[in-house]
Amino acid sequence: MLEIWGRPYSSNVIPVIWTAAELGLDYKLKLAGGSFGQLDTDQYATINPNRMIPAIRDGDFSLWESLAIVRYLCARYGAGTLCPDDPQQRAIADQWMEWSSTRAFTPVIQMFFQTVRTAPDKRDQKTINAHASDAASVLSIFEKHLEGREYVVSDSFTMADIPLGCIAYRYFNVDAARPDLPNIEAWYERLSQRPAYQKHVMRFFGTNPEEWQALEIASANEGE
Ligand SMILES: N[C@@H](CCC(=O)N[C@@H](CS)C(=O)NCC(=O)O)C(=O)O
């Protein structure tokens, strides 16, 4: 059975778990990283020499880097659906997946770290505002792209929606300023109708480090 190594509250692991769920794959979650440790073991180094999560094992095959894993799972188990057959459509999916990690991920994850993962008395509003402003500026590109489109590539859901959908949930649920982004909001609303998104992405992540930590520890019952 497919093994996913990681923890259910990690920003880089969530896209992999969501992908497996969208594809209807049976998988075993092997808890690793954060409160669950394991990354410094010799066994884990054979799966991911970077000692980071996520990583997968699919039979004898190991793979790391979250978006490489999303692409692999979609190519192997979702060819023609989550992984478009048409080379140009697939290239557009790849383009937005690259963009999600090189442009959108950092400002949004910083908004998350400077709020939820920072104690309220240690938060710096100027820093939060600066990341929120960077995120808004980057997301304005995506906002324009979604004009007249239901999903990232076309009118059907593909692997390109996955990393951006994970970023969107963080973006819309942290305590920070956001401009109106009607196309992104409508797309986010469409994703919110998907059971696998509700279950694996739309998880309450707390409002401060203690709450976040308690939720992460409680998620131990989802894996082994
Ligand atoms: N580019 C990598 C980044 C992986 C990464 O930064 N993973 C973090 C978690 S989000 C990690 O392993 N941190 C150590 C830990 O969780 O203990 C990917 O997308 O897979």
Side-chain angles (χ1 to χ4, degrees), residues 119-130:
D121 61 335
K122 300 257 167 32
R123 289 180 197 164
D124 175 20
Q125 198 56 47
K126 265 200 196 141
T127 306
I128 297 168
N129 293 347

Side-chain angles (χ1 to χ4, degrees), residues 187-213:
W187 162 81
Y188 172 62
E189 180 53 36
R190 279 190 279 282
L191 297 184
S192 306
Q193 306 305 315
R194 304 182 76 84
Y197 188 74
Q198 291 165 3
K199 179 165 181 198
H200 298 290
V201 186
M202 300 179 77
R203 306 171 62 118
F204 175 61
F205 45 58
T207 61
N208 59 52
E210 288 73 31
E211 282 180 10
W212 187 90
Q213 182 80 17

Side-chain angles (χ1 to χ4, degrees), residues 7 10-13 32-34 39 51-54 64-67:
R7 51 194 168 87
S10 152
S11 305
N12 289 305
V13 175
L39 304 186
R51 300 186 183 278
M52 299 191 109
I53 49 167
W64 41 268
E65 274 300 331
S66 56
L67 300 191

Side-chain angles (χ1 to χ4, degrees), residues 20 35 43 63 67 79 81 100 133 164:
S35 329
Q43 186 203 11
L63 192 66
L67 300 191
T81 57
S100 75
S133 165
L164 284 165

Side-chain angles (χ1 to χ4, degrees), residues 31-94:
L31 293 166
S35 329
F36 305 115
Q38 301 284 348
L39 304 186
D40 55 359
T41 63
D42 291 344
Q43 186 203 11
Y44 195 73
T46 65
I47 301 171
N48 185 353
N50 301 287
R51 300 186 183 278
M52 299 191 109
I53 49 167
I56 61 161
R57 251 198 335 215
D58 193 10
D60 292 338
F61 178 70
S62 300
L63 192 66
W64 41 268
E65 274 300 331
S66 56
L67 300 191
I69 297 170
V70 170
R71 288 182 173 98
Y72 163 73
L73 293 176
C74 293
R76 177 150 194 209
Y77 301 106
T81 57
L82 291 202
C83 179
D85 280 334
D86 176 69
Q88 290 184 350
Q89 295 237 309
R90 194 163 63 242
I92 296 291
D94 281 335

